[in-house]
Amino acid sequence: MGLFNRKSKTSIDTASVNSKASRTAGNVQSPPPTKTMNGVSSFPPPMTAQISLPPPPDPARDPAAYLRSIHAVRDRSRIVHEKAKRNQLAHFDVDPAKFGDTAAYIVSIIKRDFAPEYHTIPPHGRWQHFDVGGRQRIDQLLTSWPSRIDAQERTRRLIDLFLVSVLLDAGAGTRWSYKSKESGKTYRRSEGLAVASLEMFKAGYFSGDPTEPYQVNAAGLNRLSVGQLAIGLQVSDDNPLAGMEGRASLLANLGEALQNSDYFGSTRRPGNMLDYLLSHPSTQASSAPVVMIPTLWTVLIDGLASIWPASRTQIAGVSLGDAWPCSSMPSPPQAQLWESIVPFHKLTQWLCYSLMGPMTRLLNVQFAGVELLTGLPEYRNGGLLIDTGLITLKPADSKRGLEAYRNNATIKGQPCMEVVPLFGTDDDVVVEWRTLTIGFLDDLLLEVNRLLKLEGPNKLSLAQMLEAGSWKGGRELAEVSRPNTKQPPIMILSDGTVF
């Protein structure tokens, strides 16, 4: 049974939940695999290569570099996860009897949408959000470009689009929606932000050259005002978008970050990282280029370091980005200061997952070290753990969070129904919750593959389970459990730069 082997006394009725989710989830279920307009499978699995990877930075020598590395995310979260196995957490109680139920629920979602063709499950990434409603928008975009646009430039353009779209993809809140100018249909949340960013991209919102709308560059971002961004996203008093100012700040800061010509070239475009990656000394060229995940990670974590708020956790004056102190970690004086910090780098990981797609599907680029990436520590994956009963917020924290929700509900435009505990992004409850999410997703992947009887090369990757099971399952459970707001079981005050 994997991590926990005690049988549950009470089980989730997966058939009932799936039936309800099918009626309420609407467009959140993935469409079946289809052929694209170019005759290529819409959802090819990522090709990965096995080569020697560089070691992580030594935390004793450079703790900031270590905490900003992809290696540290899983390494540091493991400490809290071990406490979870002993039910010694600061803010959550763990019910090991519900581990099997949680895995079974994920399996039921995967079987419903993909059985028996599990190999067709796409890796988690932004591409699928663009295809909401079964419309192959990225393939249509590619087809609309003339044949003189070669595969490398097409890939650069998609990297431009995907990077901006991911940076805009923080929680949209419960009231925002986007009406597509092309189809007239209305979309919400991640899919709404994807369609909105795509239509803005096509309209040249992010380009500084009106004759070349299909690009993102520093000149275009530098001239993009908060008001223009709000118009593009259809934000108004009646259609508020959570963290609007934070999103605008990220894009403005991205414009400055793109001045780094080493990564982003003389034209200051995100897509120019493709040329950097393909020409990097660590990239191996055989029948197809093999790029190391740590190389891609360096481009994103270093090249985009300046876009994150300066108020984030720092060590020796170095901002760590999405990394936070956690009371369940070792702390001074028994440990060094850096040891009390848990890094997540959620948006950077989401970028990694998302940017690999265009490079793999258009140029057959392979990636070595994909296993270093973790499950995304965000409220859909984390909400699944709470809504299935695997973890439960302790009474004192629940009381504090509910009081915060009631206070927040007095503010105009804030939700005031389906009351749930509310905390800020930097609250110790949220940090511990996100840390648990990483560890349990690793454990759940093992159990999900066991229940699906998938072995060897047929096993689902973590990215596939995120896409077809945990992220989707977390959203569907939220829709069933809180049908009016569809919000997670813990509400997070977001500034638009983390979730």
Side-chain angles (χ1 to χ4, degrees), residues 381-404:
N381 290 316
L384 174 76
L385 306 181
I386 296 175
D387 279 335
T388 57
L390 179 55
I391 63 174
T392 304
L393 191 60
K394 291 188 175 183
D397 291 302
S398 180
K399 180 180 179 181
R400 178 167 64 89
L402 291 172
E403 181 64 26

Side-chain angles (χ1 to χ4, degrees), residues 182-196:
E182 297 178 359
S183 70
K185 294 183 178 180
T186 298
Y187 303 101
R188 302 177 183 276
R189 300 187 181 275
S190 287
E191 290 84 359
L193 289 165
V195 173

Side-chain angles (χ1 to χ4, degrees), residues 150-167:
D150 63 21
Q152 287 205 5
E153 174 57 21
R154 288 168 182 263
T155 306
R156 291 187 197 98
R157 291 182 177 190
L158 291 192
I159 291 174
D160 281 355
L161 167 62
F162 282 37
L163 190 142
V164 164
S165 188
V166 165
L167 292 184

Side-chain angles (χ1 to χ4, degrees), residues 101-128:
D101 290 342
T102 305
Y105 176 73
I106 293 174
V107 167
S108 72
I109 295 288
I110 294 172
K111 285 184 173 181
R112 180 195 69 193
D113 294 344
F114 289 97
E117 298 179 333
Y118 302 120
H119 66 283
T120 65
I121 296 173
H124 202 38
R126 192 62 166 155
W127 194 304
Q128 288 80 255

Side-chain angles (χ1 to χ4, degrees), residues 144-455:
S144 72
W145 293 334
S147 58
R148 61 180 173 80
I149 307 299
D150 63 21
Q152 287 205 5
E153 174 57 21
R154 288 168 182 263
T155 306
R156 291 187 197 98
R157 291 182 177 190
L158 291 192
I159 291 174
D160 281 355
L161 167 62
F162 282 37
L163 190 142
V164 164
S165 188
V166 165
L167 292 184
L168 290 172
D169 186 32
T174 60
R175 299 176 60 197
W176 179 83
S177 64
Y178 180 82
K179 184 176 181 179
S180 170
K181 296 179 180 179
E182 297 178 359
S183 70
K185 294 183 178 180
T186 298
Y187 303 101
R188 302 177 183 276
R189 300 187 181 275
S190 287
E191 290 84 359
L193 289 165
V195 173
S197 59
L198 172 59
E199 293 187 358
M200 292 173 69
F201 176 77
K202 293 164 72 173
Y205 267 77
F206 311 115
S207 173
D209 183 351
T211 67
E212 295 287 350
Y214 301 110
Q215 64 178 5
V216 176
N217 59 21
L221 295 174
N222 289 338
R223 75 175 188 182
L224 183 65
S225 68
V226 176
Q228 289 172 316
L229 182 61
I231 291 172
L233 295 173
Q234 300 176 0
V235 174
S236 67
D237 290 341
D238 295 327
N239 191 38
L241 178 64
M244 179 64 197
E245 293 75 14
R247 294 169 215 266
S249 178
L250 280 183
L251 293 190
N253 292 341
L254 174 61
E256 296 301 319
L258 291 177
Q259 298 298 331
N260 186 332
S261 59
D262 290 341
Y263 295 140
F264 306 118
S266 60
T267 56
R268 279 33 176 193
R269 291 175 55 190
N272 288 333
M273 74 172 69
L274 174 67
D275 304 88
Y276 175 87
L277 293 171
L278 293 180
S279 62
H280 195 271
S282 69
T283 297
Q284 300 188 13
S286 52
S287 58
V290 180
V291 174
M292 291 187 180
I293 285 295
T295 305
L296 174 58
W297 185 263
T298 296
V299 173
L300 298 176
I301 202 74
D302 289 346
L304 303 181
S306 62
I307 75 174
W308 309 114
S311 58
R312 290 284 166 81
T313 308
Q314 296 186 3
I315 287 186
V318 177
S319 179
L320 302 180
D322 185 13
W324 313 84
C326 179
S327 67
S328 293
M329 295 291 286
S331 59
Q334 291 80 15
Q336 299 293 317
L337 176 62
W338 70 267
E339 295 180 86
S340 66
I341 298 170
V342 181
F344 300 115
H345 307 304
K346 182 262 181 179
L347 277 178
T348 305
Q349 292 206 68
W350 185 216
L351 279 171
C352 272
Y353 280 122
S354 296
L355 297 184
M356 285 190 288
M359 288 186 271
T360 297
R361 293 167 69 167
L362 273 66
L363 293 176
N364 195 33
V365 175
Q366 301 181 47
F367 291 89
V370 175
E371 67 279 0
L372 293 174
L373 299 173
T374 73
L376 296 181
E378 46 78 63
Y379 58 78
R380 291 306 182 198
N381 290 316
L384 174 76
L385 306 181
I386 296 175
D387 279 335
T388 57
L390 179 55
I391 63 174
T392 304
L393 191 60
K394 291 188 175 183
D397 291 302
S398 180
K399 180 180 179 181
R400 178 167 64 89
L402 291 172
E403 181 64 26
Y405 183 98
R406 294 186 185 97
N407 292 335
N408 189 70
T410 63
I411 302 173
K412 182 181 178 180
Q414 292 299 305
C416 57
M417 64 176 66
E418 295 178 333
V419 178
V420 296
L422 178 147
F423 303 95
T425 302
D426 59 348
D427 193 285
D428 202 54
V429 166
V430 173
V431 177
E432 186 175 82
W433 182 28
R434 298 179 72 194
T435 308
L436 293 173
T437 301
I438 293 172
F440 275 120
L441 286 172
D442 281 345
D443 294 333
L444 286 165
L445 176 63
L446 298 176
E447 182 66 3
V448 164
N449 275 315
R450 190 190 72 82
L451 293 173
L452 289 172
K453 298 180 172 58
L454 298 177
E455 299 179 346

